[in-house]
């Protein structure tokens, strides 16, 4: 029977439940088990697709086109689990399905209530990942114990444990041990109260994972065990890591967390834990052989999580090339006010990520122009490709009014325009071009050199596309259409021929990068930035970079 692990959080939000779940999944995978991961979010939005990045961070897109919570990015980066729309359920999604069934008469006249109808639908969501091939399903509950919004989910997992048998369910509770500098000690009382709240609901944690700043000794472990009714060896210290979040599974393994889980769920594992490759990756993080300065010019720069996968993918490329990424966050609007040279003059590479709306667009276009004219390696992603197209049209083709119809509906030269299938769509949620689509790569292009194959599948999240009416003029003036969707002839990748490394992609490659397998385009971009860094040190100019002859450090 498939086993279930439920991970709840207490005391405060943003403790890192997503990273903890991902770390647990990674450890179990390394023991030879097949795992699945899922997040239940208590907010009433159907999905995070229409939420502000400032409130929610990035929207992570799965291969099947679901707009999901950013924690699913952690799941995919740490594990080999294949994520789908069934891996993220919200209160909105649950209630929408219950109301649909009520309108269809599925409840045969019953009064629809939180218990049993809402809780039954939550349990059905949990079971949606269950199959004969999966050994363990890890389900993260968003929010904090004590929140009103979380109560139906907690009640559902309490019922679920009774239905499948307590021996097949493991409850992990993640809490905080706040450190008081004035007294020089960590306090256990918030954890005690959090566990007491869970027990009121009817859930007794099997394992306690305690986030801490300073760590705790055996005396405190014993105290937490006694007052929380959790066995002493099941109280795990998850201290803040020094170098990278990828240290988390290693430190949990050192305390025997994977052994605890396997023993308590009575699992048979095919192999012992082997973290050799993972540890080697961490050592490269700790001991880089240099650094490279990469500017990310965005419009949501104030919140790190808004570009979480972008930053992680840059780090992965840095790890692969044994360099630290010296990240320079640039607010796009500041480029207009202060000038591109002042903000970007000392960087080795410029990346412009995705986004929506016209705020900051002119700043992004100025950043593109600086990269193109100064020979700085440029990587444009989604909107970052579109602003590169707009800049090229204005500066090279002489189309001064060139724009996207997203920004200017009456532009005389809509080099970026709304996709045909989007013309009659008015709803915003879940209606974009979403998920994995094929891209055929042009022979001899930088993209083809990076990927090392002729066709790839990448994930999309956009409504606007390169306008093919301008395609010939672009190609006649030095732009290279380096990637095209073979089914609909949509432009997916644009490059500039006489530039050291200039690549814009309509898709989101950051969703397919892992710490031990960097995305090819991010890897090539970082190597191009390293090449410029070295050329600048030696007083050389910005000659074109042939990725095939770049030797990895």
């Amino acid at each position: 029977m498939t086993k279930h692990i439920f991970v709840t959080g207490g005391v405060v939000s943003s403790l890192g439940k997503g990273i903890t779940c991902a770390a647990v999944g990674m450890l179990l995978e390394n023991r030879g088990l097949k795992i699945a991961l899922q997040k239940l979010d208590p907010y009433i939005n159907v999905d995070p697709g229409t939420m502000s990045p400032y409130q929610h961070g990035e929207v992570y897109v799965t291969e099947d086109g679901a707009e999901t919570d950013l924690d699913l990015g952690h799941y995919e980066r740490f594990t080999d689990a294949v994520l789908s729309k069934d891996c993220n359920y919200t209160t909105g999604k649950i209630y929408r399905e219950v109301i649909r069934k009520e309108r269809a008469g599925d409840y045969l006249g019953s009064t629809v209530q939180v218990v049993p109808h809402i809780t039954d639908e939550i349990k059905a969501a949990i079971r949606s990942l269950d199959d004969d091939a999966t050994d363990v399903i890890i389900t993260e509950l968003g929010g904090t114990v004590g929140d009103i919004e979380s109560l139906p989910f907690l009640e559902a997992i309490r019922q679920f444990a009774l239905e499948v048998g307590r021996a097949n369910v493991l409850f992990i509770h993640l809490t905080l041990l706040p450190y008081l500098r004035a007294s020089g000690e960590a306090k256990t009382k918030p954890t005690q109260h959090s566990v007491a709240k869970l027990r009121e609901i009817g859930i007794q944690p099997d394992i306690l994972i305690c986030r801490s700043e300073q760590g705790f000794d055996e005396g405190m472990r014993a105290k937490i065990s006694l007052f929380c009714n959790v066995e002493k060896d099941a109280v795990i210290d998850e201290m803040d890591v020094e170098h990278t979040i990828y240290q988390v599974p290693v430190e949990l393994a050192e305390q025997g967390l994977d052994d605890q889980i396997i023993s308590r769920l009575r699992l048979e594992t095919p192999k012992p834990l082997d973290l050799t490759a993972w540890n080697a990756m961490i050592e490269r993080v700790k001991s880089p052989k240099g650094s490279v300065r990469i500017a990310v010019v965005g419009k949501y720069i104030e919140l790190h999580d808004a570009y979480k996968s972008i930053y992680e993918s840059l780090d992965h490329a840095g790890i692969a090339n044994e360099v630290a990424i010296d990240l320079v966050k640039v607010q796009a609007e500041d480029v207009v006010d202060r000038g591109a040279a002042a903000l970007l003059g000392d960087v080795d590479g410029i990346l412009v990520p995705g986004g929506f709306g016209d705020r900051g667009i002119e700043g992004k276009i100025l950043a593109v122009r600086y990269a193109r004219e100064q020979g700085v390696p440029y990587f444009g992603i989604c909107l970052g490709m579109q602003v590169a197209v707009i800049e090229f049209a204005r500066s090279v083709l002489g189309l001064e009014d060139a724009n996207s119809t997203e920004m200017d509906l009456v532009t005389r030269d809509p080099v970026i325009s709304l996709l045909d299938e989007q013309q009659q769509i008015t709803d915003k949620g879940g209606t974009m071009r979403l998920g994995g689509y094929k891209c055929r790569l042009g022979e001899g292009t930088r993209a083809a050199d990076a990927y090392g194959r002729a066709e790839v599948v990448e994930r999309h999240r956009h409504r606007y596309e390169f306008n093919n009416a301008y395609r010939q003029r672009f190609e006649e003036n030095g732009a290279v259409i380096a990637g095209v969707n073979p089914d609909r002839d949509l432009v997916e990748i644009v490059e500039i021929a006489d530039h050291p490394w200039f690549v814009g992609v309509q898709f989101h490659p950051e969703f397919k990068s892992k710490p031990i397998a960097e995305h090819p385009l991010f890897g090539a971009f970082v190597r191009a930035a390293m090449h410029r860094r070295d050329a600048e040190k030696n007083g050389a100019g910005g000659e074109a970079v042939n990725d095939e002859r770049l030797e990895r450090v």
Side-chain angles (χ1 to χ4, degrees), residues 406-425:
E406 180 183 7
M407 319 306 168
D408 183 359
L409 277 173
V410 296
T411 175
R412 287 175 296 178
D413 289 297
V415 291
I416 302 293
S417 57
L418 193 64
L419 287 159
D420 289 342
E421 69 266 24
Q422 295 284 321
Q423 299 290 342
Q424 304 304 318
I425 291 175

Side-chain angles (χ1 to χ4, degrees), residues 52-305:
S52 165
Y54 288 119
Q55 287 197 19
H56 189 271
E58 76 173 3
V59 174
Y60 190 82
V61 179
T62 58
E63 198 76 6
D64 64 349
E67 293 178 295
T68 70
D69 186 86
L70 63 83
D71 277 328
L72 273 71
H74 295 308
Y75 302 166
E76 284 202 332
R77 286 188 282 271
F78 278 73
T79 74
D80 294 324
V82 178
L83 304 187
S84 69
K85 59 181 175 56
D86 292 327
C87 295
N88 194 194
Y89 282 86
T90 66
T91 294
K93 196 172 180 180
I94 295 295
Y95 271 80
R96 183 176 68 174
E97 182 61 15
V98 168
I99 291 170
R100 184 196 67 78
K101 290 180 178 179
E102 186 274 331
R103 293 288 84 188
D106 289 8
Y107 298 123
L108 301 176
S110 298
T111 300
V112 179
Q113 298 175 296
V114 173
V115 179
H117 300 96
I118 297 300
T119 51
D120 282 352
E121 196 62 40
I122 294 170
K123 289 182 287 185
I126 294 167
R127 290 191 177 94
S128 66
L129 293 182
D130 203 340
D131 60 51
D132 293 336
T134 302
D135 298 304
V136 182
I137 296 173
I138 303 167
T139 301
E140 174 190 352
L141 271 69
T144 305
V145 170
D147 293 345
I148 293 173
E149 298 90 343
S150 301
L151 287 174
F153 292 96
L154 292 167
E155 171 61 17
I157 66 173
R158 183 196 68 80
Q159 294 176 18
F160 188 88
L162 291 175
E163 292 174 6
V164 302
R166 192 62 178 85
N168 297 308
V169 171
L170 184 76
F171 291 113
I172 296 177
H173 192 49
L174 181 67
T175 73
L176 175 69
L177 298 181
Y179 180 77
L180 301 184
R181 296 189 182 278
S183 61
E185 60 180 342
K187 307 302 289 186
T188 66
K189 192 64 71 178
T191 292
Q192 295 175 42
H193 283 305
S194 183
V195 172
K197 196 70 179 175
L198 260 185
R199 292 169 68 183
E200 284 178 17
I201 296 165
I203 296 172
Q204 169 62 51
D206 300 292
I207 295 174
L208 267 181
I209 299 180
C210 303
R211 286 293 309 277
S212 65
E213 199 176 327
Q214 303 288 333
F216 54 78
D217 57 22
E218 288 305 306
M220 185 169 289
R221 191 188 304 271
K223 181 180 179 182
I224 295 169
S225 170
L226 178 64
F227 286 102
C228 295
N229 197 33
V230 174
E231 292 180 20
K232 187 177 174 182
D233 59 359
V235 178
I236 306 294
D237 181 14
E238 189 178 278
M239 199 165 68
D240 295 350
V241 291
E242 182 181 356
H243 297 285
T244 171
I245 58 171
Y246 301 119
Q247 292 175 257
V248 171
V250 176
E251 299 197 358
L252 294 178
E254 288 174 353
Q255 297 179 70
L257 178 61
D258 54 312
D259 291 328
Q260 284 280 335
I261 292 171
I262 288 162
S263 173
R264 290 169 185 274
L265 288 176
R266 300 171 191 170
L267 289 162
E268 293 184 5
T269 55
K271 62 182 183 181
L273 188 65
D274 183 5
L275 298 179
T276 304
W278 198 266
N279 281 322
M281 176 268 293
I282 292 172
E283 287 305 311
R284 289 197 295 275
V285 174
K286 292 179 179 179
S287 305
K289 296 180 179 178
S291 65
V292 62
R293 283 176 65 80
I294 302 293
V296 174
V297 183
K299 54 195 296 182
Y300 315 116
I301 286 297
E302 296 92 337
L303 182 66
H304 188 81
D305 280 353

